[in-house]
Amino acid sequence: MKYRVRHYTEYDYQDAASACYNRLCLTPNNSEQQRCVNSEILITPIPEEINYRNDFFGNQLIFFSLNQDHKKLRININSVVTVDGRPNVDLAFSSMIPWKDVHQHLTTNGLFDIIQYTLPSAYVPVSDAIKEFSESCFQEDSTLWSACQSLMKKVYETIEFKPGFTTVNTPVETVIKIKKGVCQDFAHLMIACLRNMGLPARYVSGYIETVPPPGKERLVGADASHAWVAVYFPHIGWVEFDPTNNLLP
């Protein structure tokens, strides 16, 4: 499947800004299942300086600076991306690996590049409140697949999608308490639950298709950048879950 992605970011300032410095992470990644055919960026006003580099995780970052008075800033990125199917989902569905065996598998096989996704971070803490929220989804005999499905459903049914109640800095424990948030909160909560159980999970930022199939409602997060979760399945790879919509991307 080939997609054309148009991303617009616009800033309107009350007073003229004399300088600004920006870091963009808007270029679609290349992976086993998708390829960025091309990506073009248009910035208005034209920046004096623009630089590109890749971060630790392989995302292309764009840095630019403006040193002129401006009251508007427009950032338009047009990308063409080819996306294959998600074969890992079918393999994960039939996988019978217990969730309790995953961490031992990682350490026994020295998968340290995967183990890093089990560690706490600024947005994904170790917390009794998070463990308490997630424990019901991780039964003694649950497979990794069934536990992830149960957790995704619980996050979806517990948290109300409500813009304006959280910011990018809202702690996961607060989201559990107020039971409201947006896609980044749904994603961070699910990741936090998985990591608190010793399971590798990571944050995915991207887009979901805007036009729904006939008779279906538009997905939450369409027409904007979206966030979801990838979970590592031994012998299979990363499998994606979208707790905001309770579906597999």
Side-chain angles (χ1 to χ4, degrees):
M1 182 74 71
K2 181 178 286 188
Y3 294 91
R4 184 181 302 278
V5 181
R6 298 186 178 100
H7 184 109
Y8 303 97
T9 300
E10 300 186 351
Y11 296 94
D12 290 298
Y13 304 122
Q14 182 175 347
D15 300 308
S18 59
C20 72
Y21 302 90
N22 290 266
R23 178 180 64 184
L24 310 180
C25 189
L26 292 173
T27 305
N29 244 341
N30 289 310
S31 67
E32 293 181 0
Q33 296 168 343
Q34 79 171 30
R35 183 170 66 91
C36 182
V37 178
N38 71 284
S39 186
E40 299 176 344
I41 182 170
L42 175 64
I43 303 170
T44 308
I46 299 174
E48 284 82 1
E49 184 176 8
I50 184 166
N51 295 294
Y52 300 80
R53 74 170 178 86
N54 289 340
D55 69 7
F56 175 81
F57 299 101
N59 303 300
Q60 185 184 77
L61 303 182
I62 303 172
F63 294 85
F64 72 88
S65 60
L66 279 167
N67 293 290
Q68 55 181 285
D69 287 349
H70 59 285
K71 293 193 69 173
K72 296 177 182 291
L73 176 62
R74 303 288 183 265
I75 302 168
N76 297 339
I77 291 189
N78 293 300
S79 304
V80 176
V81 184
T82 57
V83 179
D84 298 328
R86 293 288 193 265
N88 287 0
V89 171
D90 296 330
L91 295 172
F93 174 75
S94 58
S95 171
M96 298 303 293
I97 183 170
W99 72 269
K100 296 190 72 173
D101 293 350
V102 174
H103 198 271
Q104 182 178 350
H105 169 84
L106 299 179
T107 54
T108 301
N109 291 279
L111 299 178
F112 301 112
D113 57 329
I114 304 299
I115 291 174
Q116 68 176 324
Y117 294 103
T118 67
L119 303 176
S121 69
Y123 294 107
V124 183
V126 172
S127 162
D128 290 338
I130 295 171
K131 288 181 181 178
E132 183 179 345
F133 178 89
S134 59
E135 278 177 341
S136 64
C137 303
F138 294 88
Q139 301 298 317
E140 191 74 19
D141 58 348
S142 295
T143 64
L144 178 58
W145 171 262
S146 65
C148 288
Q149 287 279 30
S150 177
L151 177 60
M152 177 174 67
K153 183 179 180 182
K154 181 170 185 176
V155 173
Y156 172 77
E157 292 180 343
T158 303
I159 309 302
E160 178 187 0
F161 188 90
K162 197 79 170 178
F165 277 82
T166 59
T167 71
V168 294
N169 297 313
T170 301
V172 173
E173 294 95 332
T174 301
V175 175
I176 294 175
K177 184 177 181 179
I178 66 175
K179 295 182 171 57
K180 294 180 177 65
V182 291
C183 60
Q184 67 190 17
D185 302 304
F186 283 70
H188 276 133
L189 175 55
M190 184 169 177
I191 292 169
C193 291
L194 289 160
R195 291 193 184 183
N196 271 258
M197 304 306 290
L199 299 171
R202 65 186 186 187
Y203 187 96
V204 184
S205 179
Y207 307 95
I208 53 178
E209 191 173 10
T210 299
V211 182
K216 298 288 186 179
E217 292 186 5
R218 183 192 299 263
L219 293 174
V220 175
D223 290 327
S225 57
H226 190 52
W228 59 97
V229 177
V231 184
Y232 183 80
F233 278 65
H235 311 299
I236 296 173
W238 293 99
V239 180
E240 298 176 357
F241 298 83
D242 181 358
T244 306
N245 291 289
N246 192 31
L247 54 74
L248 304 172

